[in-house]
Amino acid sequence: LLATDGPWFFDEFDHPTMIDFIYVSHVERMLASLAYWKGVDLRDLKKWNLKGLVQWLEAFEKREAYLAFKSDYYTHVMDIPPQYGPGYDGGFEKERKQFANSINGRDGKSWHLPLGHDDPLQPLYKGPPLPLCVLEAMNLHPSSSSGSYEACDETIMAKACRSMAAWKLASNGANVAKFAARGGPEGAKNPRKTFSAPLADPYAESDVDIQPTVDAVLRIVCRVMLLWDDDVDNNKNNKLPSAEWRQALKDAVPAQQVDGVVSSLGYLRDRVGIPRDLPLAAARYLRAYLNWAIDALE
């Protein structure tokens, strides 16, 4: 890549060609696999100095169309073993544990409120993090020199990401609640065909008893994402939904259904797919607000 004048494999073009498209999906899987199983962040210039690779990735990320097929590390590490076989831990152990916990949301930060502005492993703002129509509606524009969105107002960007997550949830709310209710206690009793992909569950049925409650909770989650700017706790971070919203969640769930609703929210959280459901910049907020609801109910 450094042998050409531009970021692409062929420098006579100012756009990617077939060879770029062939490689990028494989490189995405390499980035996720090496971080998760080996503790290697190939985008770390200080450590690996892969300038050509980083420039190539950032050139892709500046194109809105790339959002339509760019996945996140979590989605990759969940679907790689069924396709290629199991991954094996090794490499840099300290970094491996750190990266793995960040990727699968077990570090208490990457999938929990308050979220950091950017993702340390998966840069969000080198190009458009959301569809351009969403960014333009929020008056968010790229740098004229770099084309990145890194200098945008963090508060407005967070609102744009939450709003898109809330819009996608609300636009198909009934079906999302039905899907999430597969994780309820009666849903778990359905006879299921097993697959090598651990999260694949195409024949599962919903727990119809708990589904209306799950729907009510998801409505609250949706409202909180949309109204968050107007109502936050006076805590040191000032980035958590207020106690009133937590109480609204508790009031919406009968005591005997708490465990089932919590398992349903976790079922949904673990199956938010990138890019199928949302771009990562918005999906991370949906995952985090689902975890906020889980923590409030527990």
Side-chain angles (χ1 to χ4, degrees), residues 33-280:
S33 300
L34 285 168
Y36 191 80
W37 283 294
K38 303 300 178 184
V40 174
D41 177 10
L42 290 181
R43 298 187 69 146
D44 186 340
L45 285 173
K46 291 183 178 179
K47 191 165 187 178
W48 302 108
N49 197 33
L50 298 174
K51 294 180 182 179
L53 177 68
V54 172
Q55 291 170 6
W56 181 69
L57 289 168
E58 290 182 1
F60 261 115
E61 289 164 351
K62 285 180 172 55
R63 295 175 173 267
E64 182 190 21
Y66 185 51
L67 276 178
F69 62 92
K70 180 187 178 185
S71 193
D72 73 327
Y73 289 7
Y74 174 76
T75 304
H76 278 313
V77 300
M78 290 292 105
D79 66 26
I80 284 173
Q83 298 178 69
Y84 302 111
Y88 294 94
D89 297 338
F92 302 90
E93 188 65 8
K94 178 181 177 182
E95 290 84 355
R96 182 191 68 77
K97 290 180 179 179
Q98 175 189 341
F99 295 165
N101 287 334
S102 174
I103 291 167
N104 62 26
R106 295 177 183 173
D107 61 352
K109 296 183 292 185
S110 59
W111 290 16
H112 288 78
L113 299 178
L115 282 176
H117 175 58
D118 207 345
D119 187 295
L121 271 180
Q122 306 170 81
L124 299 171
Y125 308 113
K126 297 295 183 181
L130 304 170
L132 290 180
C133 60
V134 177
L135 295 168
E136 290 168 0
M138 298 296 292
N139 200 28
L140 293 165
H141 303 285
S143 164
S144 58
S145 58
S146 68
S148 84
Y149 287 75
E150 294 170 298
C152 288
D153 184 280
E154 294 184 9
T155 300
I156 298 175
M157 182 63 77
K159 184 175 183 179
C161 294
R162 292 196 313 273
S163 296
M164 183 170 185
W167 171 72
K168 286 298 292 286
L169 178 56
S171 66
N172 200 25
N175 286 327
V176 174
K178 181 178 180 181
F179 175 83
R182 292 177 173 185
E186 294 302 317
K189 294 178 181 177
N190 294 324
R192 293 176 175 178
K193 182 178 179 181
T194 58
F195 291 83
S196 56
L199 299 181
D201 210 7
Y203 298 105
E205 295 182 8
S206 303
D207 184 335
V208 294
D209 293 331
I210 211 168
Q211 185 176 331
T213 310
V214 172
D215 183 270
V217 167
L218 290 177
R219 289 170 185 265
I220 294 171
V221 169
C222 188
R223 292 185 67 193
V224 172
M225 286 194 287
L226 288 172
L227 302 175
W228 176 91
D229 296 279
D230 303 322
D231 188 16
V232 293
D233 268 346
N234 293 319
N235 55 65
K236 63 180 181 179
N237 295 307
N238 202 37
K239 291 184 178 180
L240 296 175
S242 70
E244 285 77 9
W245 286 117
R246 293 194 291 274
Q247 188 59 50
L249 282 173
K250 295 176 181 178
D251 292 344
V253 183
Q256 68 272 21
Q257 290 189 339
V258 168
D259 289 345
V261 170
V262 165
S263 64
S264 297
L265 296 178
Y267 184 95
L268 173 61
R269 174 203 62 206
D270 293 345
R271 289 164 176 79
V272 174
I274 317 298
R276 179 195 63 196
D277 301 319
L278 286 163
L280 176 58

